Amino acid sequence: MSRAHLHVHLESAIRWSTLAELAARNGVSGPSPPSAGFAGLPAFVEHNQLVRDCLRTPADFTRIAREFCADEAADGTGYVEVSFTAAGHGERLGDLDMPLLAVLDGLAQGAEEHGIQCRVLLDHSRRRSVERAWRTLELARRYADRGVIGIGLAGDEAFPATPFAAVCDAARDTGLLLVHHAGEAAEPASIREVLDVGHAERIGHGIRILDDPDLVAEVRERRIPLEVCPSSNVALGFAPSLTEHPIGRLVEAGLLVTVNTDIPAIVGTTLAAEYAAVRWAIDDDQLTRNGWAAIRKPSAPTPSRSGPASSPRPAGSP
C-alpha cells in the first residue's frame, strides 16, 4: 500500500545539488549540509534562511516542487500534504502570488509525471506578524481550487498562537484545514492552545503531550492525529535519539500516531527510512493505516495497494 505523508516542508526537502545550482545562478551563498544536528532552533532558523535566499524566480520554485514529487513518488508515497511558506517568499520577492503559483505549477507537473497526489498547506511562523497571517489565509482561499487545503502556525513555539485567533476563526469558517505545530519544544499547554484557539484538526509534532495525562485522554478520545517526525526531533534536540524517542509511549497511550519527515533533506531521511527507524515501536502496516486515517474527511483519497491514491476533493467541497 502506498503511504500518506502529512508533515514535510518544501523548503527543507530541496535536493542539495539543486540548491547548489540555484545559489550559483542567483549569486548567493547557499547553505552546506549540516554534519550533525543543530545547536537549538535558532541555528536551524538561520540555516533555513540561507535555503530560502536561494529561491528567487518562478522557475526556481517550479523546479523544487516538481523534483519534490519525483522524490516522494520514488520513496513510495502516494499522497502528500506539503507545507510551504508562501506569504513569506512573496513578501521577500515583492510578488505575493508568484512563489505559490510557481510551486502549484511544479506540483501539478510532478503529479502528472509521477502519479502522486499533492496538496498544499500554507504555514506561517509564529514569530511573524498577524498581518502576514491574514495574507497567508487570503492565498489559501484564492488557490483552494488548485490544491491549497489549509493553513497552520509553525516556527518557534515560545510565541503564542492566541494573537492569530481571528485568522484561525476565519480559516475554520472558510472550511480550510487547520494544522499547527505544537508540543515539540513547548509544553502541553501549547497543544491545548492550538486546539482551543487554533481549531487544530491535527497536531504537528505534539510529542510533549505525554506530560499532561488529561490532554492525552482528550486527544485520544477525539482521535486527533499527531504528526510525529522522529529524525527531525533528534536533529533539533527535542529527543535524545531515535531509540529513546517518545513515539513508543505515544503509541502505548493509544494516540493516533503518524510518522513524517518534516525536514528530510536537512536531516538526510526519507519517509521509508522513518518508518524503518521506529519499527521497534510500531510496524509499517499500522503506520500506513494511521497515515491514511489521519487525512481529513471527506476530502481524503482512497489508498491504493498497487499505486498512488486517487484524487481527493478540495477541502470544503460537498
Side-chain angles (χ1 to χ4, degrees), residues 175-179 195 198-203 223-225 294 296-297:
L176 290 165
L177 174 66
L178 284 149
V179 182
L195 290 173
H199 315 299
E201 296 182 40
R202 294 199 307 259
I203 303 296
R223 297 295 287 168
I224 296 171
R296 187 189 202 184
K297 307 299 187 295

Side-chain angles (χ1 to χ4, degrees), residues 16-138:
W16 287 105
S17 57
T18 296
L19 204 57
E21 289 181 29
L22 296 180
R25 182 181 306 156
N26 291 322
V28 299
S29 298
S32 300
S35 58
F38 294 90
L41 192 59
F44 172 72
V45 171
E46 181 179 351
H47 173 94
N48 220 26
Q49 187 57 53
L50 292 175
V51 172
R52 294 179 181 187
D53 286 346
C54 296
L55 303 171
R56 299 295 180 91
T57 70
D60 298 343
F61 289 101
T62 297
R63 176 179 176 179
I64 65 169
R66 188 176 178 183
E67 291 179 350
F68 172 80
C69 291
D71 294 342
E72 287 290 312
D75 192 42
T77 300
Y79 173 83
V80 60
E81 293 180 9
V82 61
S83 294
F84 180 57
T85 314
H89 289 290
E91 290 181 359
R92 173 173 62 88
L93 297 171
D95 185 339
L96 189 64
D97 293 67
M98 180 276 283
L100 179 56
L101 279 171
V103 162
L104 292 173
D105 286 344
L107 293 177
Q109 293 170 26
E112 179 83 18
E113 292 163 351
H114 301 286
I116 185 172
Q117 295 297 322
C118 299
R119 295 296 179 264
V120 179
L121 298 167
L122 302 185
D123 62 17
H124 173 77
S125 172
R126 294 164 176 263
R127 298 183 301 115
R128 303 302 181 183
S129 69
V130 173
E131 288 73 22
R132 180 186 285 183
W134 282 113
R135 287 190 279 274
T136 297
L137 174 57
E138 179 54 34

Side-chain angles (χ1 to χ4, degrees), residues 195-304:
L195 290 173
D196 292 348
V197 173
H199 315 299
E201 296 182 40
R202 294 199 307 259
I203 303 296
H205 300 292
I207 57 175
R208 294 196 61 185
I209 192 173
L210 294 164
D211 296 338
D212 185 337
D214 291 338
L215 187 59
V216 169
E218 178 182 339
V219 169
R220 179 176 59 235
E221 181 178 351
R222 293 174 61 183
R223 297 295 287 168
I224 296 171
L226 302 182
E227 302 170 349
V228 180
C229 307
S231 291
S232 171
N233 297 153
V234 172
L236 296 176
F238 300 125
S241 68
L242 288 172
T243 56
E244 298 172 279
H245 191 280
I247 187 170
R249 291 186 291 135
L250 294 169
V251 172
E252 289 174 1
L255 295 163
L256 180 53
V257 172
T258 71
V259 161
N260 309 273
T261 64
D262 191 23
I263 50 175
I266 293 175
V267 300
T269 194
T270 65
L271 189 58
E274 293 299 287
Y275 274 47
V278 298
R279 283 182 187 139
W280 58 270
I282 182 171
D283 64 45
D284 289 27
D285 287 344
Q286 186 61 58
L287 273 181
T288 301
R289 289 194 295 271
N290 287 1
W292 288 105
I295 300 171
R296 187 189 202 184
K297 307 299 187 295
S299 61
T302 302
S304 168

